[in-house]
Amino acid sequence: LVFKLQTKHGVDHFLEACSREERDEWAADIRATVNKLQAIDNGKLMNQKDPAESRLHNINLSKVLDSMYDVHSGIKLSNHVEQGSNYSNCFSGSAVVDWLVFMQLTLTRVEAVTLASALLEEGFLRTVGLRSVQGLRTAGLSEQFMDDSTALYGFSDSLKKRGSVKAERSLSAVELSGKVIKRGYLLKQGHQRKNWKVRLFVLRSEPAFLHYYDPTKDGITPVGGFSLRGCLISSLDDNGVPSGVKGNIQGNLFKIITKSDTRYFIQAPTHQEKMEWIDAIREQT
């Protein structure tokens, strides 16, 4: 039931519908709207081509964000006061524009504002305080970001704050450094509510880890994962409901028991995919 949207900046957004019919209707309506917008843009391009806009389209927003996180050359987080309220781990709009102009030497200040607006539009940055929120509501699409020392912004809540991301990255760098062996969408049962959620699973080797990501989030940081050392994996019969499993069982179920005795119940779309996942994981255990 999941479908994907990819923005003009190459950022993927995963959405889950309630039924196949709704998924197909949403996909068709969005595609029709995109085609109309492309037709309008193509008409504009025939009249006038803006070289600055072409330069901005060639900039990878994810790489810009990584540079903003950099300990040595990234943007500096600090505490600010706006209308009597204290805000921590944020930066001013003018500081972001200054940084973008300095790092992207070919950009003018106006182009840097447009690039910052794209970061805000894609959800990489968020507004902090009233000033930036008001600017977001009143500005045009290409200038949602305010080049102002009194307008405050921060990294999105869906991303790690720069102050804490370094420590976590150092801890998970080894387990995320392995070669990707297999990836795909599976249903996973939650440990608390026992509900089933679509997750993007990624199997890595050397070291052997299985991570899973929430398709509705940023796709950068896994929401869970575990080492495959000492794990047991087994296929479960579709007849009846195994102990510890609740909810809607569509079949093609398998179970992983970690070395710490944590049980993961997972459903694959087809029997063939289930066996492929079992064989791939078993090779790494």
Side-chain angles (χ1 to χ4, degrees):
L1 305 182
V2 175
F3 62 99
K4 181 180 75 172
L5 298 177
Q6 186 177 77
T7 70
K8 64 182 180 182
H9 300 290
V11 179
D12 292 336
H13 296 271
F14 294 91
L15 304 173
E16 182 179 4
C18 296
S19 67
R20 285 187 173 87
E21 291 76 14
E22 286 194 20
R23 178 198 64 186
D24 295 342
E25 288 177 2
W26 272 105
D29 290 342
I30 293 173
R31 187 179 292 112
T33 303
V34 169
N35 290 338
K36 289 181 180 179
L37 293 173
Q38 287 178 340
I40 294 173
D41 289 341
N42 289 337
K44 291 180 178 178
L45 287 174
M46 290 178 64
N47 296 327
Q48 181 180 8
K49 292 186 178 181
D50 186 354
E53 188 174 349
S54 298
R55 284 202 303 273
L56 291 177
H57 283 178
N58 292 329
I59 295 177
N60 187 310
L61 292 184
S62 296
K63 291 184 178 179
V64 173
L65 185 69
D66 288 340
S67 298
M68 294 179 74
Y69 273 133
D70 190 89
V71 175
H72 303 290
S73 60
I75 192 165
K76 305 301 180 185
L77 293 174
S78 58
N79 299 329
H80 293 265
V81 178
E82 182 190 359
Q83 298 184 11
S85 299
N86 294 311
Y87 300 98
S88 59
N89 293 325
C90 57
F91 31 76
S92 69
S94 58
V96 175
V97 176
D98 289 341
W99 183 87
L100 288 172
V101 171
F102 178 76
M103 296 300 293
Q104 306 285 339
L105 299 178
T106 60
L107 295 184
T108 66
R109 198 165 189 86
V110 173
E111 292 169 349
V113 172
T114 303
L115 181 57
S117 296
L119 290 167
L120 186 64
E121 182 183 352
E122 295 292 352
F124 290 148
L125 301 180
R126 63 183 178 91
T127 55
V128 176
L130 296 176
R131 185 87 172 90
S132 57
V133 171
Q134 292 172 351
L136 183 62
R137 291 174 179 170
T138 58
L141 288 176
S142 62
E143 295 183 352
Q144 297 178 352
F145 196 92
M146 298 183 67
D147 183 6
D148 193 316
S149 61
T150 64
L152 303 179
Y153 299 89
F155 291 118
S156 175
D157 289 335
S158 64
L159 304 172
K160 297 290 186 182
K161 293 294 187 296
R162 185 170 175 268
S164 61
V165 72
K166 300 308 175 186
E168 287 214 11
R169 277 185 180 173
S170 63
L171 292 174
S172 61
V174 174
E175 64 183 68
L176 292 175
S177 65
K179 179 182 178 182
V180 175
I181 300 298
K182 187 174 179 61
R183 58 187 294 149
Y185 293 98
L186 302 168
L187 283 173
K188 173 188 167 296
Q189 180 178 262
H191 292 293
Q192 301 297 329
R193 298 181 181 179
K194 305 297 182 182
N195 54 342
W196 292 90
K197 293 287 187 180
V198 175
R199 293 291 181 255
L200 172 63
F201 279 80
V202 178
L203 174 63
R204 293 181 172 89
S205 67
E206 298 179 2
F209 272 83
L210 184 63
H211 294 97
Y212 49 93
Y213 299 74
D214 186 345
T216 65
K217 299 295 177 58
D218 54 66
I220 300 173
T221 307
V223 295
F226 50 90
S227 170
L228 293 176
R229 183 184 296 273
C231 284
L232 298 175
I233 181 170
S234 59
S235 174
L236 299 176
D237 295 332
D238 294 340
N239 298 327
V241 179
S243 175
V245 177
K246 295 183 179 180
N248 183 21
I249 308 300
Q250 301 175 2
N252 305 312
L253 186 68
F254 62 96
K255 177 176 66 174
I256 301 175
I257 304 177
T258 68
K259 191 175 181 179
S260 60
D261 202 34
T262 302
R263 285 165 165 75
Y264 291 86
F265 293 98
I266 302 170
Q267 296 185 65
T270 65
H271 176 75
Q272 180 180 348
E273 288 189 54
K274 178 183 76 169
M275 298 312 299
E276 289 176 356
W277 273 103
I278 290 176
D279 292 341
I281 294 173
R282 190 167 283 158
E283 287 182 6
Q284 302 303 319
T285 60

